[in-house]
mmCIF file of all heavy atoms in Angstrom:
data_model
loop_
_atom_site.group_PDB
_atom_site.id
_atom_site.type_symbol
_atom_site.label_atom_id
_atom_site.label_comp_id
_atom_site.label_asym_id
_atom_site.label_seq_id
_atom_site.Cartn_x
_atom_site.Cartn_y
_atom_site.Cartn_z
ATOM 1 N N PRO A 78 113.161 -73.670 129.361
ATOM 2 C CA PRO A 78 113.565 -73.178 130.684
ATOM 3 C C PRO A 78 113.452 -71.663 130.822
ATOM 4 O O PRO A 78 113.100 -71.163 131.889
ATOM 5 C CB PRO A 78 115.024 -73.644 130.816
ATOM 6 C CG PRO A 78 115.475 -73.932 129.431
ATOM 7 C CD PRO A 78 114.266 -74.388 128.692
ATOM 8 N N LEU A 81 109.855 -70.937 131.545
ATOM 9 C CA LEU A 81 109.498 -71.356 132.901
ATOM 10 C C LEU A 81 110.025 -70.371 133.938
ATOM 11 O O LEU A 81 109.309 -70.010 134.885
ATOM 12 C CB LEU A 81 110.046 -72.760 133.172
ATOM 13 C CG LEU A 81 109.340 -73.899 132.428
ATOM 14 C CD1 LEU A 81 110.150 -75.187 132.532
ATOM 15 C CD2 LEU A 81 107.931 -74.111 132.981
ATOM 16 N N PHE A 82 111.259 -69.909 133.766
ATOM 17 C CA PHE A 82 111.809 -68.939 134.705
ATOM 18 C C PHE A 82 111.081 -67.599 134.606
ATOM 19 O O PHE A 82 110.834 -66.929 135.620
ATOM 20 C CB PHE A 82 113.309 -68.745 134.470
ATOM 21 C CG PHE A 82 114.175 -69.625 135.320
ATOM 22 C CD1 PHE A 82 115.136 -70.442 134.754
ATOM 23 C CD2 PHE A 82 114.028 -69.633 136.702
ATOM 24 C CE1 PHE A 82 115.936 -71.254 135.542
ATOM 25 C CE2 PHE A 82 114.822 -70.446 137.502
ATOM 26 C CZ PHE A 82 115.783 -71.260 136.920
ATOM 27 N N ALA A 85 107.895 -67.946 136.430
ATOM 28 C CA ALA A 85 108.120 -67.911 137.877
ATOM 29 C C ALA A 85 108.478 -66.504 138.353
ATOM 30 O O ALA A 85 108.168 -66.130 139.488
ATOM 31 C CB ALA A 85 109.228 -68.888 138.252
ATOM 32 N N LEU A 89 107.977 -64.903 142.096
ATOM 33 C CA LEU A 89 109.097 -65.084 143.013
ATOM 34 C C LEU A 89 110.102 -63.947 142.907
ATOM 35 O O LEU A 89 110.186 -63.263 141.892
ATOM 36 C CB LEU A 89 109.789 -66.418 142.731
ATOM 37 C CG LEU A 89 108.912 -67.679 142.799
ATOM 38 C CD1 LEU A 89 109.740 -68.906 142.482
ATOM 39 C CD2 LEU A 89 108.260 -67.812 144.172
ATOM 40 N N VAL A 93 115.248 -65.719 145.293
ATOM 41 C CA VAL A 93 114.757 -67.098 145.314
ATOM 42 C C VAL A 93 115.013 -67.774 143.966
ATOM 43 O O VAL A 93 115.453 -68.928 143.908
ATOM 44 C CB VAL A 93 113.261 -67.123 145.662
ATOM 45 C CG1 VAL A 93 112.682 -68.522 145.459
ATOM 46 C CG2 VAL A 93 113.044 -66.682 147.108
ATOM 47 N N LEU A 94 114.768 -67.074 142.884
ATOM 48 C CA LEU A 94 114.989 -67.638 141.552
ATOM 49 C C LEU A 94 116.445 -68.047 141.360
ATOM 50 O O LEU A 94 116.735 -69.121 140.807
ATOM 51 C CB LEU A 94 114.594 -66.628 140.478
ATOM 52 C CG LEU A 94 113.099 -66.360 140.288
ATOM 53 C CD1 LEU A 94 112.898 -65.161 139.368
ATOM 54 C CD2 LEU A 94 112.388 -67.583 139.727
ATOM 55 N N VAL A 96 118.668 -68.919 143.555
ATOM 56 C CA VAL A 96 119.031 -70.100 144.346
ATOM 57 C C VAL A 96 118.418 -71.365 143.744
ATOM 58 O O VAL A 96 119.071 -72.415 143.670
ATOM 59 C CB VAL A 96 118.587 -69.928 145.813
ATOM 60 C CG1 VAL A 96 118.883 -71.197 146.612
ATOM 61 C CG2 VAL A 96 119.303 -68.739 146.454
ATOM 62 N N LEU A 97 117.172 -71.287 143.301
ATOM 63 C CA LEU A 97 116.538 -72.448 142.676
ATOM 64 C C LEU A 97 117.278 -72.852 141.400
ATOM 65 O O LEU A 97 117.392 -74.044 141.092
ATOM 66 C CB LEU A 97 115.073 -72.141 142.362
ATOM 67 C CG LEU A 97 114.163 -71.916 143.573
ATOM 68 C CD1 LEU A 97 112.744 -71.574 143.121
ATOM 69 C CD2 LEU A 97 114.146 -73.145 144.480
ATOM 70 N N ASN A 98 117.812 -71.884 140.673
ATOM 71 C CA ASN A 98 118.577 -72.177 139.464
ATOM 72 C C ASN A 98 119.838 -72.976 139.775
ATOM 73 O O ASN A 98 120.292 -73.788 138.962
ATOM 74 C CB ASN A 98 118.953 -70.876 138.762
ATOM 75 C CG ASN A 98 119.812 -71.100 137.532
ATOM 76 O OD1 ASN A 98 119.335 -71.549 136.501
ATOM 77 N ND2 ASN A 98 121.100 -70.797 137.643
ATOM 78 N N ALA A 99 120.392 -72.769 140.960
ATOM 79 C CA ALA A 99 121.628 -73.451 141.343
ATOM 80 C C ALA A 99 121.435 -74.945 141.569
ATOM 81 O O ALA A 99 122.418 -75.670 141.765
ATOM 82 C CB ALA A 99 122.210 -72.809 142.605
ATOM 83 N N THR A 100 120.191 -75.425 141.531
ATOM 84 C CA THR A 100 119.955 -76.871 141.691
ATOM 85 C C THR A 100 120.211 -77.636 140.395
ATOM 86 O O THR A 100 120.170 -78.874 140.400
ATOM 87 C CB THR A 100 118.504 -77.144 142.139
ATOM 88 O OG1 THR A 100 117.591 -76.693 141.119
ATOM 89 C CG2 THR A 100 118.193 -76.426 143.444
ATOM 90 N N ALA A 101 120.492 -76.942 139.299
ATOM 91 C CA ALA A 101 120.666 -77.617 138.003
ATOM 92 C C ALA A 101 121.712 -78.729 138.033
ATOM 93 O O ALA A 101 121.455 -79.835 137.535
ATOM 94 C CB ALA A 101 120.993 -76.589 136.918
ATOM 95 N N MET A 103 122.597 -80.590 140.428
ATOM 96 C CA MET A 103 122.082 -81.721 141.207
ATOM 97 C C MET A 103 121.130 -82.567 140.364
ATOM 98 O O MET A 103 121.185 -83.801 140.387
ATOM 99 C CB MET A 103 121.396 -81.210 142.471
ATOM 100 C CG MET A 103 122.363 -80.625 143.475
ATOM 101 S SD MET A 103 121.582 -80.156 145.039
ATOM 102 C CE MET A 103 120.772 -78.643 144.549
ATOM 103 N N TRP A 104 120.254 -81.886 139.628
ATOM 104 C CA TRP A 104 119.397 -82.617 138.696
ATOM 105 C C TRP A 104 120.256 -83.376 137.685
ATOM 106 O O TRP A 104 119.934 -84.504 137.304
ATOM 107 C CB TRP A 104 118.477 -81.657 137.961
ATOM 108 C CG TRP A 104 117.407 -81.036 138.778
ATOM 109 C CD1 TRP A 104 117.263 -79.711 139.085
ATOM 110 C CD2 TRP A 104 116.289 -81.693 139.399
ATOM 111 N NE1 TRP A 104 116.150 -79.509 139.851
ATOM 112 C CE2 TRP A 104 115.527 -80.712 140.062
ATOM 113 C CE3 TRP A 104 115.871 -83.019 139.457
ATOM 114 C CZ2 TRP A 104 114.366 -81.001 140.763
ATOM 115 C CZ3 TRP A 104 114.714 -83.314 140.161
ATOM 116 C CH2 TRP A 104 113.977 -82.329 140.798
ATOM 117 N N ILE A 108 120.048 -87.298 136.723
ATOM 118 C CA ILE A 108 119.748 -87.729 135.354
ATOM 119 C C ILE A 108 120.885 -88.574 134.803
ATOM 120 O O ILE A 108 120.661 -89.605 134.156
ATOM 121 C CB ILE A 108 119.507 -86.507 134.449
ATOM 122 C CG1 ILE A 108 118.234 -85.780 134.875
ATOM 123 C CG2 ILE A 108 119.408 -86.924 132.978
ATOM 124 C CD1 ILE A 108 118.036 -84.459 134.176
ATOM 125 N N GLY A 128 120.891 -80.461 149.027
ATOM 126 C CA GLY A 128 120.269 -79.527 148.104
ATOM 127 C C GLY A 128 118.769 -79.437 148.304
ATOM 128 O O GLY A 128 118.182 -78.343 148.289
ATOM 129 N N THR A 129 118.142 -80.589 148.513
ATOM 130 C CA THR A 129 116.695 -80.619 148.775
ATOM 131 C C THR A 129 116.362 -79.880 150.061
ATOM 132 O O THR A 129 115.389 -79.114 150.126
ATOM 133 C CB THR A 129 116.204 -82.067 148.855
ATOM 134 O OG1 THR A 129 116.529 -82.755 147.638
ATOM 135 C CG2 THR A 129 114.702 -82.114 149.061
ATOM 136 N N GLY A 131 118.116 -77.499 151.388
ATOM 137 C CA GLY A 131 118.346 -76.079 151.161
ATOM 138 C C GLY A 131 117.166 -75.409 150.490
ATOM 139 O O GLY A 131 116.756 -74.306 150.871
ATOM 140 N N VAL A 132 116.613 -76.075 149.492
ATOM 141 C CA VAL A 132 115.436 -75.538 148.804
ATOM 142 C C VAL A 132 114.252 -75.472 149.768
ATOM 143 O O VAL A 132 113.515 -74.478 149.806
ATOM 144 C CB VAL A 132 115.087 -76.399 147.569
ATOM 145 C CG1 VAL A 132 113.739 -75.985 146.986
ATOM 146 C CG2 VAL A 132 116.180 -76.270 146.512
ATOM 147 N N ALA A 133 114.068 -76.528 150.562
ATOM 148 C CA ALA A 133 112.968 -76.549 151.523
ATOM 149 C C ALA A 133 113.124 -75.433 152.550
ATOM 150 O O ALA A 133 112.138 -74.782 152.933
ATOM 151 C CB ALA A 133 112.916 -77.905 152.223
ATOM 152 N N LEU A 135 114.682 -72.570 152.114
ATOM 153 C CA LEU A 135 114.453 -71.291 151.443
ATOM 154 C C LEU A 135 112.967 -71.029 151.236
ATOM 155 O O LEU A 135 112.446 -69.975 151.606
ATOM 156 C CB LEU A 135 115.186 -71.273 150.100
ATOM 157 C CG LEU A 135 115.042 -70.012 149.267
ATOM 158 C CD1 LEU A 135 115.790 -68.855 149.897
ATOM 159 C CD2 LEU A 135 115.536 -70.257 147.840
ATOM 160 N N VAL A 136 112.279 -71.987 150.615
ATOM 161 C CA VAL A 136 110.871 -71.756 150.276
ATOM 162 C C VAL A 136 109.957 -71.905 151.490
ATOM 163 O O VAL A 136 108.825 -71.428 151.483
ATOM 164 C CB VAL A 136 110.409 -72.715 149.152
ATOM 165 C CG1 VAL A 136 111.298 -72.562 147.928
ATOM 166 C CG2 VAL A 136 110.406 -74.168 149.614
ATOM 167 N N ALA A 147 102.564 -69.020 144.247
ATOM 168 C CA ALA A 147 103.967 -69.305 144.549
ATOM 169 C C ALA A 147 104.341 -70.784 144.376
ATOM 170 O O ALA A 147 105.396 -71.083 143.814
ATOM 171 C CB ALA A 147 104.319 -68.830 145.953
ATOM 172 N N PRO A 148 103.529 -71.750 144.844
ATOM 173 C CA PRO A 148 103.903 -73.155 144.647
ATOM 174 C C PRO A 148 104.106 -73.522 143.176
ATOM 175 O O PRO A 148 105.057 -74.234 142.827
ATOM 176 C CB PRO A 148 102.718 -73.916 145.255
ATOM 177 C CG PRO A 148 102.163 -72.990 146.273
ATOM 178 C CD PRO A 148 102.307 -71.622 145.671
ATOM 179 N N LEU A 149 103.213 -73.024 142.308
ATOM 180 C CA LEU A 149 103.357 -73.311 140.875
ATOM 181 C C LEU A 149 104.607 -72.632 140.321
ATOM 182 O O LEU A 149 105.314 -73.211 139.484
ATOM 183 C CB LEU A 149 102.118 -72.819 140.125
ATOM 184 C CG LEU A 149 102.056 -73.140 138.622
ATOM 185 C CD1 LEU A 149 102.138 -74.648 138.387
ATOM 186 C CD2 LEU A 149 100.771 -72.583 138.017
ATOM 187 N N ALA A 150 104.909 -71.433 140.795
ATOM 188 C CA ALA A 150 106.102 -70.723 140.346
ATOM 189 C C ALA A 150 107.372 -71.445 140.777
ATOM 190 O O ALA A 150 108.339 -71.548 140.006
ATOM 191 C CB ALA A 150 106.092 -69.293 140.884
ATOM 192 N N ILE A 151 107.390 -71.950 141.997
ATOM 193 C CA ILE A 151 108.552 -72.704 142.486
ATOM 194 C C ILE A 151 108.745 -73.973 141.653
ATOM 195 O O ILE A 151 109.869 -74.309 141.264
ATOM 196 C CB ILE A 151 108.363 -73.056 143.975
ATOM 197 C CG1 ILE A 151 108.405 -71.781 144.822
ATOM 198 C CG2 ILE A 151 109.428 -74.044 144.435
ATOM 199 C CD1 ILE A 151 107.936 -71.984 146.246
ATOM 200 N N ALA A 152 107.642 -74.666 141.372
ATOM 201 C CA ALA A 152 107.722 -75.872 140.543
ATOM 202 C C ALA A 152 108.250 -75.539 139.153
ATOM 203 O O ALA A 152 109.064 -76.293 138.586
ATOM 204 C CB ALA A 152 106.347 -76.527 140.448
ATOM 205 N N ALA A 153 107.814 -74.410 138.591
ATOM 206 C CA ALA A 153 108.275 -73.995 137.263
ATOM 207 C C ALA A 153 109.773 -73.717 137.271
ATOM 208 O O ALA A 153 110.499 -74.106 136.340
ATOM 209 C CB ALA A 153 107.509 -72.757 136.796
ATOM 210 N N ALA A 154 110.268 -73.038 138.315
ATOM 211 C CA ALA A 154 111.693 -72.722 138.401
ATOM 212 C C ALA A 154 112.533 -73.994 138.548
ATOM 213 O O ALA A 154 113.598 -74.127 137.929
ATOM 214 C CB ALA A 154 111.949 -71.776 139.568
ATOM 215 N N LEU A 155 112.069 -74.922 139.362
ATOM 216 C CA LEU A 155 112.798 -76.190 139.518
ATOM 217 C C LEU A 155 112.770 -76.998 138.224
ATOM 218 O O LEU A 155 113.760 -77.650 137.863
ATOM 219 C CB LEU A 155 112.199 -76.992 140.669
ATOM 220 C CG LEU A 155 112.448 -76.435 142.073
ATOM 221 C CD1 LEU A 155 111.659 -77.221 143.113
ATOM 222 C CD2 LEU A 155 113.941 -76.459 142.406
ATOM 223 N N LEU A 156 111.639 -76.959 137.510
ATOM 224 C CA LEU A 156 111.556 -77.660 136.230
ATOM 225 C C LEU A 156 112.496 -77.027 135.216
ATOM 226 O O LEU A 156 113.091 -77.734 134.383
ATOM 227 C CB LEU A 156 110.112 -77.637 135.715
ATOM 228 C CG LEU A 156 109.846 -78.362 134.389
ATOM 229 C CD1 LEU A 156 110.266 -79.825 134.477
ATOM 230 C CD2 LEU A 156 108.362 -78.251 134.012
ATOM 231 N N ALA A 157 112.654 -75.707 135.274
ATOM 232 C CA ALA A 157 113.592 -75.030 134.381
ATOM 233 C C ALA A 157 115.020 -75.503 134.638
ATOM 234 O O ALA A 157 115.779 -75.788 133.700
ATOM 235 C CB ALA A 157 113.497 -73.518 134.571
ATOM 236 N N ALA A 158 115.395 -75.601 135.918
ATOM 237 C CA ALA A 158 116.726 -76.110 136.261
ATOM 238 C C ALA A 158 116.891 -77.549 135.795
ATOM 239 O O ALA A 158 117.965 -77.955 135.333
ATOM 240 C CB ALA A 158 116.942 -76.000 137.769
ATOM 241 N N PHE A 159 115.829 -78.320 135.903
ATOM 242 C CA PHE A 159 115.845 -79.708 135.417
ATOM 243 C C PHE A 159 116.083 -79.744 133.908
ATOM 244 O O PHE A 159 116.831 -80.587 133.402
ATOM 245 C CB PHE A 159 114.517 -80.375 135.768
ATOM 246 C CG PHE A 159 114.372 -81.787 135.270
ATOM 247 C CD1 PHE A 159 114.936 -82.835 135.970
ATOM 248 C CD2 PHE A 159 113.678 -82.060 134.106
ATOM 249 C CE1 PHE A 159 114.806 -84.148 135.515
ATOM 250 C CE2 PHE A 159 113.546 -83.361 133.641
ATOM 251 C CZ PHE A 159 114.119 -84.409 134.350
ATOM 252 N N CYS A 160 115.446 -78.825 133.175
ATOM 253 C CA CYS A 160 115.631 -78.765 131.720
ATOM 254 C C CYS A 160 117.090 -78.527 131.352
ATOM 255 O O CYS A 160 117.609 -79.114 130.393
ATOM 256 C CB CYS A 160 114.773 -77.658 131.118
ATOM 257 S SG CYS A 160 113.011 -77.988 131.108
ATOM 258 N N TYR A 161 117.763 -77.650 132.096
ATOM 259 C CA TYR A 161 119.177 -77.395 131.821
ATOM 260 C C TYR A 161 119.999 -78.673 131.962
ATOM 261 O O TYR A 161 120.929 -78.922 131.186
ATOM 262 C CB TYR A 161 119.719 -76.343 132.790
ATOM 263 C CG TYR A 161 119.175 -74.952 132.575
ATOM 264 C CD1 TYR A 161 118.939 -74.109 133.657
ATOM 265 C CD2 TYR A 161 118.902 -74.458 131.301
ATOM 266 C CE1 TYR A 161 118.443 -72.831 133.478
ATOM 267 C CE2 TYR A 161 118.411 -73.188 131.114
ATOM 268 C CZ TYR A 161 118.186 -72.375 132.200
ATOM 269 O OH TYR A 161 117.703 -71.108 132.025
ATOM 270 N N SER A 162 119.659 -79.475 132.946
ATOM 271 C CA SER A 162 120.388 -80.721 133.163
ATOM 272 C C SER A 162 120.104 -81.730 132.057
ATOM 273 O O SER A 162 121.001 -82.455 131.619
ATOM 274 C CB SER A 162 120.015 -81.312 134.519
ATOM 275 O OG SER A 162 120.366 -80.428 135.554
ATOM 276 N N VAL A 273 122.245 -75.191 149.574
ATOM 277 C CA VAL A 273 122.117 -75.587 148.163
ATOM 278 C C VAL A 273 123.487 -75.623 147.489
ATOM 279 O O VAL A 273 123.821 -76.566 146.753
ATOM 280 C CB VAL A 273 121.176 -74.623 147.406
ATOM 281 C CG1 VAL A 273 121.278 -74.851 145.897
ATOM 282 C CG2 VAL A 273 119.735 -74.830 147.859
#
Side-chain angles (χ1 to χ4, degrees):
L81 289 168
F82 267 126
L89 303 179
V93 170
L94 288 170
V96 176
L97 294 178
N98 177 74
T100 63
M103 291 185 284
W104 290 115
I108 293 171
T129 303
V132 171
L135 180 70
V136 303
L149 185 58
I151 292 168
L155 290 173
L156 181 57
F159 177 81
C160 289
Y161 291 145
S162 299
V273 168

